Amino acid sequence: DTQLTQSPSFLSASVGDRVTITCRASHGIRSYLAWYQQKPGKAPKPLIYAASTLQSGVPSRFSGSGSGTEFTLTISSLQPEDFATYYCQQLNNYPYTFGQGTKLEIK
Amino acid sequence: QVQLQESGPGLVKPSGTLSLTCAVSGGSISSSSWWSWVRQPPGKGLECIGEIYDSGSTNYNPSLKSRVTISVDKSKNQFSLRLSSVTAADTAVYYCARYQHQLYDSWGQGTLVTVSS
């Protein structure tokens, strides 16, 4: 299985901050990476696919980049509704594994 | 916009079989998509269980393959999960989801299944 490691696991930030979450793959996955946002008691919400393509309806303050083994999710200006847990997922080879998650909390 | 809804028992006894169904509405299950099951133990991360195409082709997570069966019922526009020989480690929220264009783009709300006697 392809292992994904997210950093940091916890992130404390303020409204208006710019934050970046990193996802590293144990081996190359081309651009087959997606990002999801999950709030407590809810299903994951898709944000980005193919490493950098914004899913329909997702605000433009979210962006993704990377290919191969290193990827980033950036939120340019945090809004109150962005405080949640974020997961990356590789879809290069089955089983499609997820990172362990990054919990974004209000400072 | 396709919608997915999981259903099934919320409590399963150890060594028993977990059975869940995902009803698809707002679109056809025969739509060139993979239909998937994902689970999340309480307070933990996400794990893909398996997926099925409308043709009946399947992929299973090797860690669960010996215990998992996923099937599709086109006449009812739904797909199902069976997980046998369950233990407490199988306690989780189980989600069904649609895989399309390199993304799980639609998810059910999730259903908590507890394995306990």
Side-chain angles (χ1 to χ4, degrees):
Chain A
D1 297 3
T2 301
Q3 307 302 316
L4 297 181
T5 303
Q6 290 181 231
S7 59
S9 295
F10 297 93
L11 182 55
S12 182
S14 301
V15 173
D17 283 355
R18 177 185 180 92
V19 299
T20 297
I21 299 168
T22 297
C23 178
R24 290 186 173 87
S26 58
H27 50 265
I29 57 170
R30 298 177 284 177
S31 295
Y32 287 81
L33 190 100
W35 290 96
Y36 301 86
Q37 175 194 71
Q38 188 178 35
K39 296 184 177 179
K42 300 294 187 181
K45 173 187 175 182
L47 299 175
I48 286 169
Y49 63 97
S52 61
T53 303
L54 211 60
Q55 174 70 341
S56 176
V58 174
S60 60
R61 62 181 180 272
F62 290 90
S63 63
S65 66
S67 67
T69 61
E70 186 152 337
F71 302 84
T72 60
L73 171 70
T74 298
I75 310 173
S76 60
S77 178
L78 277 172
Q79 298 302 300
E81 60 268 29
D82 299 338
F83 293 94
T85 299
Y86 292 84
Y87 292 93
C88 57
Q89 181 196 25
Q90 67 82 20
L91 300 106
N92 184 62
N93 51 279
Y94 205 81
Y96 301 144
T97 46
F98 292 87
Q100 83 279 12
T102 295
K103 187 172 184 179
L104 178 53
E105 299 180 324
I106 300 174
K107 184 182 287 184
Chain B
Q1 175 76 358
V2 69
Q3 293 185 314
L4 293 83
Q5 178 69 56
E6 305 90 349
S7 61
L11 182 64
V12 181
K13 292 187 182 331
S15 78
T17 296
L18 178 160
S19 295
L20 296 173
T21 296
C22 180
V24 179
S25 59
S28 173
I29 205 166
S30 300
S31 60
S32 302
S33 301
W34 287 88
W35 302 93
S36 306
W37 290 96
V38 178
R39 70 179 182 178
Q40 185 172 37
K44 297 187 177 181
L46 298 156
E47 178 183 41
C48 288
I49 300 169
E51 60 179 6
I52 189 165
Y53 201 68
D54 63 8
S55 64
S57 297
T58 55
N59 289 313
Y60 297 134
N61 190 323
S63 68
L64 298 167
K65 186 174 184 177
S66 63
R67 299 193 291 132
V68 173
T69 303
I70 296 175
S71 58
V72 64
D73 187 336
K74 296 181 187 179
S75 67
K76 295 183 178 178
N77 218 41
Q78 65 186 33
F79 62 107
S80 300
L81 169 70
R82 287 174 57 87
L83 180 66
S84 63
S85 305
V86 297
T87 69
D90 295 310
T91 293
V93 175
Y94 285 76
Y95 296 100
C96 57
R98 181 180 72 173
Y99 170 65
Q100 196 172 63
H101 306 311
Q102 299 182 42
L103 183 70
Y104 283 15
D105 67 345
S106 298
W107 295 68
Q109 65 186 25
T111 186
L112 175 63
V113 179
T114 302
V115 178
S116 176
S117 56

